[in-house]
Amino acid sequence: VFEKQNRIGGAVGTDIIDNWLCERGPNSMLANDPGLMALIDELGLSSECEKANPLARKRYLVKRGMPMATPSSPGSLITTPLFSMRAKLRLFGELFQNRRQRPADVSLAEFIQDHFGSEIVDYALNPFIAGVYAGAPTLLSARYAFPTLWECEQSHGSIIRGMIAKMLKKSKSRKTKKPRVGIISFRRGLQTLTDALAASLPSDALSLNTEVSQVTRDSSWNVTRQHEGRAHTEAFDAVVSALPASGLANLQVGSSGDRPLSDLHDVLHPPVDSLVLGYRREQIGHALDGFGMLVPEIEKRSVLGVLFSSSLFAGRAPEGHASLTVMVGGTRQPELTGLNTDDLLRRIQPDLRDLLGVEGEPVFRRHQSWPRAIPQYNLGYGRFLEAITACEYQNQGLFIGGQVRDGIALPACIAAGEKLAVRVTESSRAFP
């Protein structure tokens, strides 16, 4: 395993400072894949796994300067002030949409507007995409950013009918009914998982501060890498890549030094900053009785969203205190990520005061910057996926996966690794 950085885990990282637990990247995982839970069991981490606080189920969206809890049932959808009666009728009417065939990909905003209308785009889709991708629904590809929704439309016409059918099919396919695990982390943060993966490797299998520059194929695969200022080449039976887009774009494949994936330089990665802010509990007027709060672009605020970190999991803040994780930047306001901590804090404090009743200065703060954060599966993304597929086809024994191909969420990256392992195993049986 060759890792360019001086630590494993990539964006996954946890810092514990004076009893404040800060996540550098992802803050939690949705454990809806049996493979993820099997991996946690295999690594002996079941006792360290922590489910999200069941009392923190609410999700808040901001409308007219007020955080409002999102509907959690058909009944609450009827009564919620988040959406107008016209928007609610449009939601229920979507159930009766006919099947359609689109000639080409469309933006996620256009796709959802076709089904649910512009109000749902502005006050549901837009903040949701800011929280997941830090991106813009007007730019994201419906087909590649959310393939499940695209498939539901193709098969049923109605997204809602398609999702119901998928859930029923999944429920029937289960041999035993297991309770849904939901959102999880670990007692000492998500880095627990990546540390355990590294510890499970043979002692000589991991090389840090090592950048792979070229892979060539003759009777075996020759991998050239740079480590401590020197180039090394070693032979392997197969090569598995989880490189980000920029790494794949720079990778030389073959003895001629060609870069067949150089177009991946065009994959957009907007910058994102996160601020973990700690307050005495009495400094915050909001009940913090939920997962967090997302802010639609139409509200003209500086924050993309705020996670109520200490409400979601225990041990994130000292007794009598609360921890908030504030996200800024993305495609919406990338210029905010260039600010220093003091200036950024001054910029977001009015939002925290107005929306959450935060008074005074934080007693703790931790600033994390990601200049190239999340790859955007924007319109036209299919050309990048086609280039990856062609590269693999032309170079048998080279396997490519990871967030640039298989989804951006941490569980999706884990599932991509499992899928790559199966492909490598099947390939070795076919060509021993």
Side-chain angles (χ1 to χ4, degrees), residues 66-102:
M66 242 176 127
M68 300 181 186
T70 59
S72 57
S73 67
S76 61
L77 177 58
I78 293 172
T79 59
T80 180
L82 260 174
F83 306 118
S84 67
M85 182 55 66
R86 181 179 180 181
K88 294 171 187 177
L89 292 173
R90 183 74 182 266
L91 280 167
F92 286 113
E94 199 274 344
L95 276 163
F96 306 101
Q97 287 209 11
N98 295 323
R99 188 178 303 182
R100 71 179 81 188
Q101 296 294 325
R102 293 185 185 271

Side-chain angles (χ1 to χ4, degrees), residues 129 146 160 189 266 275 280 309 336 391 405:
I129 293 304
F146 288 90
I160 296 175
D266 295 336
L275 273 173
R280 296 184 304 278
S309 303
L336 293 184
C391 184
R405 189 180 196 183

Side-chain angles (χ1 to χ4, degrees), residues 156-227:
H156 289 79
S158 162
I159 293 174
I160 296 175
R161 285 206 321 270
M163 293 299 291
I164 292 172
K166 280 183 175 292
M167 286 189 291
L168 290 174
K169 183 178 179 180
K170 188 175 182 180
S171 178
K172 289 178 181 178
S173 67
R174 290 174 180 163
K175 294 180 181 179
T176 58
K177 289 188 177 180
K178 296 183 178 180
R180 184 178 176 183
V181 177
I183 294 172
I184 64 169
S185 183
F186 299 92
R187 298 185 196 283
R188 296 184 65 80
L190 287 179
Q191 189 175 321
T192 300
L193 178 62
T194 51
D195 284 350
L197 284 168
S200 69
L201 295 170
S203 59
D204 60 347
L206 177 62
S207 178
L208 300 175
N209 300 305
T210 303
E211 182 176 8
V212 174
S213 57
Q214 184 175 31
V215 292
T216 60
R217 176 74 185 268
D218 42 44
S219 58
S220 61
W221 277 97
N222 300 302
V223 177
T224 301
R225 61 195 187 276
Q226 310 295 321
H227 179 71

Side-chain angles (χ1 to χ4, degrees), residues 302-314:
S302 296
V303 302
L304 299 176
V306 181
L307 291 174
F308 305 160
S309 303
S310 54
S311 296
L312 193 57
F313 297 109

